[in-house]
């Protein structure tokens, strides 16, 4: 399976065919320019600024049929396989033919909705299939440059650590190299290779037994293996699954409920939040343009969209986290003169307790809603620390309160998280760095201004959102040396302000990653030889 890997240069240069040039207008949602959609009644009238979308809107049907699933909303399946491919055929026609073959099986946003309805009504499971290409993948397919999406990080690739990015919060326009502080030399072998494509297969609901899910996925895996013989090497197959707690809610490997707060694109999902707990303190809705860009290779400038994906394989040090929360809990107890358990220490790192409730250092305070909150009543970060994972990655107005940055701008850096856990299910291992963690995936329309600002400008930045905050204890750049990691914890405990020195470290290790683009389905169908 992992046998041959030819040099790319020979076929990267063979852009022998042009598959039709589509005139497209670059748009910049961040500058408040919207796609000026036509008034032709056969065309969709979607705007990048449009939010609270109706999946059943007949005018938008053509958009949702051309956009891949898992972008506007998670595919929701409990098991997945991530197949990392490298095109190896010297004849790019053959590779494109495979794209054409798989195109008829890709799950569109519309189909994802239909299958979800069917599952609810009849219990029928449906396979989800998604396909993403890296820049080298587009090149290996011989796609004309003007049909390749032009995000600069996407084009540079994750392994290009010399490329300069502007990730300063609040427009500090100082370009830095290697904003993720990556060392691809330390990645797992398959990720050191040139990755051209990522296919995602997903299957199963909460109640379906894992073996049945895996059987279905393996069947499809075998089919793809046969199809790509002589065309591509499958460098790696990563198995993902949704880890759940005793209540059946999705958690990550440190035991915290995950996937609670994400941008919401559909009206029906927004209404669910409204009914559940209101949206007056935090509005989860997001415009289409937060994750979608016009696909320059799609069949229409008006209806073909895609999204950039960031993939990071993140290994978690579960024992390290459990041990460090005990130590931190003991320090807090000593400082306040009463027993404080490690639950609070862990919750301070995340900003939420394990059950998702917003962290509070006040033992008498009642639980807050899961998502309908902001930090207006905690402007100095004494309840939910500035460095906690959720406050770093979604400051909910801190950049406005502290640096007068407009809310619209802060919210434009949001990402849609689509990750899934992998590896051992042991949440109390006796050794550090078990083979377990998160296959992090996020969708966005601008990798630099969304994922990279969030990771480098916010999480890894010891001075975000105020001087001396420290880095994000979970995903911040923890090996960068003293002075950067979250050290000072300024807390309001039992009516007094306390300051505790503690540094979480070595909790997450990057094992590989890449930037991808999930093209429109019409782009892929162009290569389907049976397609009229
Ligand atoms: C192993 C790595 C990671 C773990 C264990 C982890 C875990 C969590 C948990 C438990 C939550 C709270 C649940 C929720 O609000 O949905 C959360 C929220 C979040 N995480 Fe992570 N995460 C990881 C990596 C990342 C990375 C790399 C990023 C982006 C750079 C990120 C961005 C976010 C965002 C945006 C939120 C939602 C914050 C909010 O809206 O309040 N996470 N994460």
């Amino acid at each position: 399976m992992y046998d041959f890997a030819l040099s790319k240069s020979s076929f990267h240069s063979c852009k022998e065919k042009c598959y039709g040039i589509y005139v497209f207008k670059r748009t910049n949602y961040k500058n408040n320019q919207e796609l000026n959609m036509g008034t032709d009644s056969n065309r969709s009238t979607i705007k990048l600024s449009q939010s609270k979308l109706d999946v059943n809107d007949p005018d938008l049907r053509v958009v949702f049929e051309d956009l891949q699933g898992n972008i506007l909303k998670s595919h929701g399946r409990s098991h997945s396989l991530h197949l990392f491919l490298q095109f190896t055929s010297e004849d790019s026609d053959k590779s494109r033919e495979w794209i054409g073959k798989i195109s008829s099986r890709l799950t569109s946003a519309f189909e994802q909705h239909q299958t979800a309805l069917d599952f609810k009504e009849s219990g029928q499971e449906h396979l989800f299939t998604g396909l993403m290409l890296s820049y080298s993948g587009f090149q290996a397919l011989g796609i004309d440059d003007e049909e390749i999406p032009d995000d600069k990080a996407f084009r540079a690739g994750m392994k290009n650590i010399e490329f300069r990015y502007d990730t300063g919060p609040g427009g500090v326009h100082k370009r830095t190299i290697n904003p993720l502080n990556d060392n691809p030399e330390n990645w797992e072998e398959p990720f050191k290779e040139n990755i051209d494509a990522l296919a995602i297969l997903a299957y199963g609901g909460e109640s379906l037994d894992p073996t049945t899910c895996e059987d279905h996925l393996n069947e499809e895996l075998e089919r793809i293996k046969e199809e790509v013989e002589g065309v591509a090497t499958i460098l790696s197959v990563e198995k993902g699954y949704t880890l759940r707690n005793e209540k059946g809610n999705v958690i990550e490997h440190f035991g915290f409920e995950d996937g609670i707060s994400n941008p919401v694109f559909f009206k029906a999902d927004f209404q669910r939040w409204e009914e559940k707990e209101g949206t007056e303190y935090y509005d989860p809705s997001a415009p289409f343009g937060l994750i979608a860009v016009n696909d320059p290779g799609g069949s229409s400038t008006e209806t073909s969209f895609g999204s950039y994906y960031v993939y990071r394989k993140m290994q978690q040090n579960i024992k390290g986290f459990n041990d460090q929360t005990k130590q931190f809990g003991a320090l807090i107890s000593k400082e306040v003169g009463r027993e404080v358990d490690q639950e609070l220490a862990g919750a301070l790192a995340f900003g939420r307790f394990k059950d998702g409730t917003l962290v509070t250092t006040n033992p008498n305070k009642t639980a807050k809603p899961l998502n309908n909150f902001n930090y207006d009543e905690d402007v100095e970060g004494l309840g939910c620390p500035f460095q906690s994972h959720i406050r770093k990655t979604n400051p909910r107005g801190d950049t406005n309160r502290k640096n007068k940055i407009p809310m619209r701008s802060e919210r434009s850096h949001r990402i849609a998280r689509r990750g899934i856990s992998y590896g051992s299910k042991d949440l109390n291992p006796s050794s550090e760095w078990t083979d377990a963690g998160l296959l992090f995936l996020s969708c966005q329309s601008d990798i630099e201004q969304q994922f990279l600002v969030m990771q480098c400008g916010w999480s890894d930045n010891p001075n975000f959102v105020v001087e001396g905050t420290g880095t994000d204890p979970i995903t911040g750049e923890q090996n960068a040396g003293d002075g950067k990691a979250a050290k000072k914890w300024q807390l309001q405990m039992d009516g007094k302000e306390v300051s505790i020195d503690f540094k979480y470290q070595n909790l997450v290790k990057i094992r590989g990653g890449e930037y991808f683009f999930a093209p429109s389905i019409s782009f892929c169908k162009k290569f389907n030889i049976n397609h009229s």
Side-chain angles (χ1 to χ4, degrees):
M1 185 165 76
Y2 309 130
D3 47 0
F4 53 104
L6 297 174
S7 148
K8 274 291 151 53
S9 52
S10 54
F11 42 92
H12 277 178
S13 56
C14 57
K15 293 179 186 171
E16 68 276 35
K17 264 190 202 165
C18 169
Y19 292 86
I21 297 171
Y22 298 93
V23 182
F24 75 104
K25 194 163 78 179
R26 279 301 298 166
T27 54
N28 190 343
Y29 144 79
K30 309 241 152 39
N31 290 343
N32 201 18
Q33 294 164 7
E34 289 165 8
L35 262 188
N36 181 15
M37 293 300 179
T39 46
D40 179 342
S41 58
N42 294 323
R43 294 294 186 189
S44 105
T45 52
I46 198 160
K47 290 190 165 102
L48 291 177
S49 62
Q50 207 167 323
S51 58
K52 298 176 197 157
L53 304 168
D54 178 359
V55 72
N56 293 312
D57 183 339
D59 287 341
L60 301 187
R61 174 87 172 254
V62 58
V63 173
F64 298 144
E65 281 179 343
D66 203 8
L67 181 74
Q68 293 198 48
N70 203 33
I71 295 171
L72 288 171
K73 190 171 174 161
S74 159
H75 60 63
R77 272 67 167 175
S78 59
H79 286 71
S80 69
L81 292 181
H82 295 173
L83 281 56
F84 293 88
L85 295 111
Q86 185 178 67
F87 295 119
T88 48
S89 169
E90 297 205 21
D91 178 0
S92 53
D93 271 343
K94 280 194 174 170
S95 314
R96 288 192 296 265
E97 242 173 66
W98 177 67
I99 302 288
K101 253 187 214 159
I102 200 171
S103 69
S104 56
R105 311 202 295 273
L106 295 178
T107 311
S108 69
F110 186 72
E111 192 189 343
Q112 182 180 313
H113 173 71
Q114 295 298 104
T115 56
L117 285 183
D118 188 43
F119 175 70
K120 248 186 223 154
E121 279 163 22
S122 70
Q124 176 66 47
E125 309 274 354
H126 296 266
L127 179 74
F128 170 88
T129 308
L131 180 72
M132 288 141 228
L133 295 168
S134 67
Y135 182 53
S136 71
F138 275 99
Q139 288 186 311
L141 292 171
I143 306 299
D144 258 26
D145 193 63
E146 61 267 36
E147 291 196 0
I148 305 179
D150 64 357
D151 180 274
K152 51 178 173 289
F154 164 74
R155 285 193 172 220
M158 200 178 273
K159 283 194 275 290
N160 182 349
I161 56 174
E162 297 303 323
F163 196 83
R164 290 186 179 272
Y165 293 99
D166 175 3
T167 58
V172 183
H173 301 295
K174 191 172 149 255
R175 294 189 173 269
T176 49
I177 58 164
N178 198 6
L180 296 172
N181 202 31
D182 273 336
N183 183 358
E185 303 267 298
N186 296 336
W187 290 0
E188 289 173 3
E189 287 305 320
F191 296 107
K192 292 182 185 169
E193 298 275 340
N194 213 13
I195 296 165
D196 291 330
L198 164 59
I200 295 190
L201 308 174
Y203 193 80
E206 215 177 308
S207 51
L208 197 66
D209 71 286
T211 321
T212 312
C213 292
E214 280 168 20
D215 287 350
H216 268 88
L217 292 172
N218 286 335
E219 205 176 295
E220 185 61 14
L221 172 64
E222 288 308 313
R223 177 177 176 174
I224 292 181
K225 270 189 200 165
E226 265 173 43
E227 284 175 351
V228 301
E229 224 177 285
V231 171
T233 296
I234 299 179
L235 297 167
S236 172
V237 177
E238 301 289 332
K239 277 188 190 179
Y241 65 95
T242 48
L243 193 59
R244 291 180 189 274
N245 60 17
E246 62 288 347
K247 280 196 246 151
N249 297 336
V250 176
I251 55 171
E252 50 66 56
H253 273 97
F254 296 143
F256 288 70
E257 287 196 13
D258 203 358
I260 300 167
S261 174
N262 241 339
V264 168
F265 297 95
F266 287 118
K267 188 167 70 185
D269 297 322
F270 179 81
Q271 283 167 345
R272 258 193 291 280
W273 273 114
E274 278 217 302
E275 280 158 29
K276 194 175 169 197
E277 55 177 38
T279 54
E280 66 274 42
Y281 299 108
Y282 183 71
D283 172 6
S285 70
F288 185 53
L290 188 78
I291 39 94
V293 293
N294 185 227
D295 179 358
S299 64
S300 152
T301 53
E302 314 228 324
T303 57
S304 299
F305 294 90
S307 185
Y308 294 104
Y309 267 86
V310 172
Y311 174 81
R312 308 270 284 164
K313 181 172 181 183
M314 306 179 94
Q315 188 180 5
Q316 293 178 240
N317 179 3
I318 304 169
K319 182 173 182 330
F321 181 78
N322 292 345
D323 290 349
Q324 290 176 42
T325 49
K326 262 184 221 144
Q327 292 159 17
F328 188 26
L331 278 181
I332 305 174
S333 304
K334 199 168 151 209
E335 186 65 34
V336 298
R338 71 174 165 87
E339 200 58 35
V340 166
D341 63 18
Q342 86 187 83
E343 289 300 317
L344 176 66
L348 289 168
F350 273 102
R352 291 184 186 273
F353 285 100
K354 283 192 169 169
D355 68 357
T357 319
L358 180 67
V359 69
T360 170
T361 46
N362 181 346
N364 304 319
K365 221 164 188 177
T366 50
K368 292 239 171 148
L370 279 184
N371 208 21
N372 186 20
F373 66 85
N374 57 43
Y375 303 113
D376 277 350
E377 289 176 13
D378 183 20
V379 289
E380 296 311 326
L382 298 173
C384 179
F386 285 132
Q387 65 264 50
S388 67
H389 182 62
I390 67 158
R391 198 153 178 176
K392 277 278 195 185
T393 54
N394 187 0
R396 297 178 189 239
D398 281 339
T399 66
N400 179 265
R401 284 184 288 267
K402 294 291 174 196
N403 304 318
K404 301 279 172 281
I405 291 171
M407 273 309 282
R408 183 184 164 77
S409 167
E410 183 189 288
R411 283 165 64 80
S412 74
H413 299 298
R414 288 178 295 164
I415 56 174
R417 291 175 299 138
R418 301 288 180 252
I420 191 160
S421 290
Y422 76 90
S424 157
K425 289 189 176 164
D426 185 355
L427 298 190
N428 207 5
S430 53
S431 57
E432 296 200 339
W433 299 115
T434 48
D435 180 32
L438 181 70
L439 304 174
F440 175 88
L441 278 165
S442 67
C443 293
Q444 49 269 294
S445 54
D446 182 330
I447 295 172
E448 180 192 66
Q449 284 306 306
Q450 291 173 259
F451 172 72
L452 286 174
V453 163
M454 189 176 286
Q455 180 65 66
C456 173
W458 294 355
S459 283
D460 296 348
N461 179 352
N463 297 319
F464 181 80
V465 60
V466 291
E467 199 73 20
T469 295
T471 54
D472 175 336
I474 307 300
T475 60
E477 184 199 328
Q478 293 160 50
N479 300 316
D482 276 349
K484 279 200 157 189
K487 247 182 117 181
K488 274 242 173 302
W489 297 78
Q490 214 71 34
L491 308 169
Q492 180 87 35
M493 298 278 301
D494 301 349
K496 61 176 184 188
E497 212 175 294
V498 295
S499 173
I500 299 161
D501 273 2
F502 184 77
K503 192 165 110 179
Y504 276 106
Q505 53 195 334
N506 289 320
L507 297 183
V508 169
K509 215 187 260 179
I510 304 300
R511 307 314 320 258
E514 191 49 280
Y515 299 131
F516 296 97
F517 182 71
S520 59
I521 295 178
S522 61
F523 167 82
C524 303
K525 283 200 166 152
K526 281 191 297 191
F527 311 119
N528 187 341
I529 47 176
N530 301 317
H531 188 240
S532 56

